[in-house]
Amino acid sequence: MLPTGLPQGAVPKLERPGPLRERVYEALLELITTRVLQPGRHLVENELAGHLGVSRQPVREALQRLNTEGWVDLRPAQGAFVHEPTEEEADQLLTVRTLLEAEAARLAARNADAKGVEALFDIVKAGRTAIGKNDVTSAVALNAAFHAKVMELAGNAVLAELAAQVDRRVRWYYTPVAKLRGGTSWSEHSDLVFAIKERDEQKAGRLMREHTEHTRHSYHHRNES
């Protein structure tokens, strides 16, 4: 057993085909965004290579790329560490997310068809079930799926492209507050779907803005209790 002590089943399988370095990068990024590898965690190349069943070279290449993208910090004479986001970093990203998501909700209320609305209700139902089972991992994934579906229904490719650039970081920030937000978040989702169904653009935009602001506030106060 390698000393990194990753939870059983937490390490993604490296699916073939595809360049090995790309698959190792995706696996490590998944472990970081789901916080299996917590902020501040020391990342030891040979231990990660052992968990992933690869040599150290693709791990080293992946860590270099993750460093460039801001997910990992490479410290001279110390090694690689999962980046610890500052409150300012989180605030800036979540503020941008609010702008993008509110506009997406408004456009979804204009453009969504009955099938799209039904899909949103299905995700809300699944999300409430996950929260009821205290399944945070599924709740986080379903939250991402909900917001992605709203973005899809908005029908604006440029908006979707911009949102995709921040999607994984949003998931990273949302994970530690998913339990705190709990059923309240899914009630807000449900209210939003009704606004989209009613084609009330202004209400949908407002509800999404309030929803994302609640998440931002929860992140900044996540350690208070």
Side-chain angles (χ1 to χ4, degrees):
M1 178 70 180
L2 290 169
T4 47
L6 297 182
Q8 185 70 27
V11 180
K13 292 183 179 180
L14 300 186
E15 301 294 342
R16 299 178 185 277
L20 183 59
R21 62 180 178 274
E22 184 69 24
R23 289 183 281 126
V24 170
Y25 162 82
E26 287 292 338
L28 292 179
L29 183 54
E30 180 71 9
L31 290 170
I32 291 171
T33 55
T34 57
R35 293 188 178 243
V36 172
L37 294 173
Q38 289 279 338
R41 177 77 173 262
H42 186 203
L43 303 173
V44 181
E45 286 182 8
N46 66 326
E47 293 176 350
L48 293 172
H51 278 298
L52 296 171
V54 299
S55 68
R56 292 176 61 179
Q57 183 60 32
V59 172
R60 184 178 298 113
E61 292 175 356
L63 292 177
Q64 291 283 353
R65 180 176 171 184
L66 291 166
N67 173 67
T68 300
E69 295 175 355
W71 294 101
V72 166
D73 297 326
L74 296 179
R75 304 173 188 170
Q78 295 184 54
F81 297 81
V82 178
H83 179 65
E84 296 185 73
T86 65
E87 295 296 307
E88 183 178 6
E89 287 173 4
D91 194 68
Q92 289 178 359
L93 183 113
L94 294 173
T95 296
V96 170
R97 182 222 185 184
T98 293
L99 297 173
L100 297 173
E101 297 275 3
E103 179 62 9
R106 187 185 70 79
L107 291 174
R110 176 189 297 179
N111 300 321
D113 57 13
K115 184 177 179 181
V117 171
E118 182 180 358
L120 288 175
F121 277 125
D122 287 343
I123 297 172
V124 170
K125 181 179 179 181
R128 282 178 161 159
T129 298
I131 287 296
K133 294 180 178 178
N134 202 29
D135 185 352
V136 174
T137 299
S138 293
V140 170
L142 287 163
N143 180 73
F146 179 86
H147 287 273
K149 188 63 180 179
V150 171
M151 192 63 64
E152 176 190 327
L153 295 175
N156 185 309
V158 175
L159 189 63
E161 183 179 351
L162 291 172
Q165 294 178 26
V166 302
D167 176 68
R168 255 175 161 158
R169 289 192 183 274
V170 168
R171 185 180 176 190
W172 192 34
Y173 294 129
Y174 184 72
T175 296
V177 301
K179 198 170 184 178
L180 179 64
R181 293 282 279 131
T184 301
S185 178
W186 290 99
S187 293
E188 293 168 4
H189 284 157
S190 181
D191 291 342
L192 174 61
V193 180
F194 278 111
I196 292 173
K197 182 179 180 181
E198 294 163 1
R199 297 196 177 281
D200 190 333
E201 295 182 34
Q202 297 308 311
K203 183 177 181 181
R206 175 177 59 79
L207 288 176
M208 180 65 93
R209 187 175 299 106
E210 292 172 354
H211 170 69
T212 53
E213 282 297 298
H214 290 160
T215 297
R216 186 167 72 94
H217 183 271
S218 294
Y219 181 85
H220 288 309
H221 295 84
R222 64 195 180 281
N223 296 321
E224 297 178 6
S225 59

